[in-house]
Amino acid sequence: QVQLVESGGGLVQAGGSLRLSCAVSGGSVTNAAMDWYRQAPGKQRELVAAISAGGSTNYADSVKGRFTISRDNAKNTVYLQMNSLKPEDTAVYYCKANYVLYDYWGQGTQVTVSS
């Protein structure tokens, strides 16, 4: 029933910015801890940002100071603002909703940062 749809990925030059969106249907972002993961070719999927139901945030060391996760409860959407992008940020980015009984994943959106 719960569906997550990511959008906003694309090609950007190093130093540029991009904002990813994760629209949730069938559930509420208010009641869930929301995460952004990424997976580059040949590498394991890694957690890059998380926001709790209470609004606290956590970031991977590699993105601290550059990425910001936020939530708009009225739009039922979670965002990942990515600034000062680096080629090593290139990956497929996935949104994840963590509910008490079940977790849900989006289909992913490709982010490519050129040097």
Side-chain angles (χ1 to χ4, degrees):
Q1 182 174 261
V2 176
Q3 182 176 245
L4 281 62
V5 179
E6 301 102 330
S7 62
L11 176 65
V12 65
Q13 290 186 303
S17 298
L18 212 58
R19 188 178 75 162
L20 306 183
S21 299
C22 175
V24 179
S25 61
S28 175
V29 301
T30 305
N31 301 323
M34 303 294 299
D35 304 332
W36 283 99
Y37 285 76
R38 69 185 181 188
Q39 186 167 27
K43 300 186 67 177
Q44 292 187 318
R45 188 171 298 186
E46 64 173 342
L47 177 66
V48 297
I51 184 168
S52 73
S56 61
T57 58
N58 286 286
Y59 300 93
D61 289 340
S62 59
V63 307
K64 285 181 179 177
R66 300 188 298 119
F67 289 12
T68 303
I69 186 171
S70 62
R71 178 181 61 220
D72 188 329
N73 292 333
K75 296 181 178 179
N76 213 35
T77 300
V78 174
Y79 303 96
L80 184 67
Q81 179 66 47
M82 305 184 294
N83 299 325
S84 302
L85 283 163
K86 305 174 180 179
E88 49 262 48
D89 295 320
T90 295
V92 176
Y93 284 72
Y94 298 90
C95 182
K96 180 188 177 188
N98 307 279
Y99 293 95
V100 173
L101 297 179
Y102 209 78
D103 298 339
Y104 299 89
W105 291 85
Q107 82 290 344
T109 185
Q110 176 71 48
V111 172
T112 302
V113 184
S114 62
S115 60

